Amino acid sequence: MGSEHATSGFDAGRAQGSFDADDFDEFERSHPNIFASKLALLHHAIVDGNADRQPGRTLSVGGGTGSYEQALRDRFDVDTDIIVEPAPDLASQARSRGFDVVAATIEEAGLDKERFDTIFYNGSAFGYIADDALRKVLRLHWNQLNPSGSLILLDVPSSSALGLAVIASFDIDGPSYIRTVLSSSWYDEDVPHKEFWRTTEEYVELLRDAGFPDFSYWQTLRRHPLYQNEEAEDPVTGYREGSYVAIVAHKEAIAHGE
């Protein structure tokens, strides 16, 4: 798993606001089909494949500018009750979209006694958190959830095609085929990269340590990264093929096959 030298929560750059809100939204506008694929994956995970499921009281962690939360609200009628975002510029943009935003790390947000039915990460914000601290964060989420609640982690696994390409790019200077591929994907060289890259199995191990007994998996963007923005893709079950994977961790064991 990831090394242990990071801060106890989101890295200092995110917490201090070195992310530009306009760059975030522009990147999504210039990659509309990747955005649509990720949004469909997020929504599918929130309802866990059941369009009739109500997400209930909902918390978004590391919500950035609130673009996903706004799209969930506008396209799927899914409301987000609270967004936690430590970067001030991003939090301000999310607030301007009409959301209740706490500008802090999740550890500092003061939501310990809140009860939620759904907690989600619309991207890999947990990839800025070292293992020991992440175990505490996941246990915090377990405590924040109602008994039938679920936690959703949306991630680019280190073992995915996109994950492998991004990690390889860290050691490349100058033009390369990998950088050309990534320029067409969600992760070009100007996008801030998370520090900790983990496989889906490693996240499940951390989630089990935090008390979560049962999981569902959804994935999208199964094409070669060079072609992922050509058209939107519907999510499917599993995690072994997608460049983006949603882990749905259930607080209580669920009955499968019903």
Side-chain angles (χ1 to χ4, degrees):
M1 296 184 191
S3 61
E4 302 295 339
H5 63 276
T7 60
S8 63
F10 295 104
D11 76 338
R14 186 169 180 110
Q16 292 172 8
S18 59
F19 290 76
D20 187 282
D22 291 336
D23 287 346
F24 261 63
D25 288 352
E26 174 55 33
F27 203 79
E28 291 166 3
R29 286 191 292 268
S30 64
H31 295 73
N33 287 321
I34 292 178
F35 178 72
S37 297
K38 283 188 63 182
L39 178 65
L41 176 67
L42 178 60
H43 176 253
H44 216 73
I46 287 173
V47 301
D48 205 17
N50 179 1
D52 295 326
R53 181 182 183 273
Q54 298 300 311
R57 182 166 167 77
T58 301
L59 168 67
S60 169
V61 186
T65 66
S67 57
Y68 282 87
E69 292 77 6
Q70 181 179 23
L72 284 172
R73 181 180 61 197
D74 294 347
R75 302 184 196 182
F76 297 105
D77 199 28
V78 171
D79 289 322
T80 301
D81 293 281
I82 299 176
I83 294 175
V84 172
E85 170 51 56
D89 288 349
L90 305 188
S92 176
Q93 182 67 20
R95 197 173 289 115
S96 74
R97 287 178 157 136
F99 293 104
D100 181 1
V101 181
V102 179
T105 65
I106 188 60
E107 303 99 317
E108 300 167 344
L111 302 176
D112 298 23
K113 297 181 180 179
E114 295 279 354
R115 285 294 175 264
F116 297 94
D117 301 292
T118 302
I119 300 174
F120 70 83
Y121 288 71
N122 68 34
S124 304
F126 43 87
Y128 293 92
I129 308 177
D131 288 355
D132 287 346
L134 183 55
R135 287 188 180 92
K136 297 176 183 178
V137 169
L138 296 177
R139 184 62 186 179
L140 170 64
H141 290 324
W142 190 93
N143 287 322
Q144 290 171 329
L145 286 168
N146 287 321
S148 61
S150 60
L151 168 66
I152 296 147
L153 306 182
L154 193 69
D155 189 39
V156 178
S158 59
S159 55
S160 69
L162 181 56
L164 289 169
V166 174
I167 293 169
S169 75
F170 296 159
D171 296 323
I172 297 174
D173 293 324
S176 70
Y177 178 68
I178 287 179
R179 289 200 178 277
T180 298
V181 169
L182 291 179
S183 68
S184 300
S185 81
W186 196 252
Y187 273 83
D188 70 13
E189 60 184 331
D190 295 324
V191 175
H193 296 156
K194 62 185 181 181
E195 182 172 0
F196 299 98
W197 291 81
R198 305 176 177 99
T199 66
T200 298
E201 291 89 349
E202 287 171 331
Y203 279 116
V204 169
E205 179 183 343
L206 290 166
L207 288 160
R208 288 193 188 280
D209 288 347
F212 291 92
D214 212 340
F215 306 91
S216 303
Y217 308 95
W218 303 95
Q219 60 187 333
T220 193
L221 296 176
R222 294 178 292 155
R223 298 183 186 90
H224 187 290
L226 187 63
Y227 311 116
Q228 288 177 353
N229 195 44
E230 289 188 349
E231 60 181 312
E233 183 178 328
D234 292 330
V236 298
T237 58
Y239 63 85
R240 292 183 174 92
E241 301 171 22
S243 283
Y244 279 85
V245 170
I247 304 171
V248 185
H250 305 278
K251 187 170 182 176
E252 293 182 341
I254 59 175
H256 294 273
E258 294 186 355

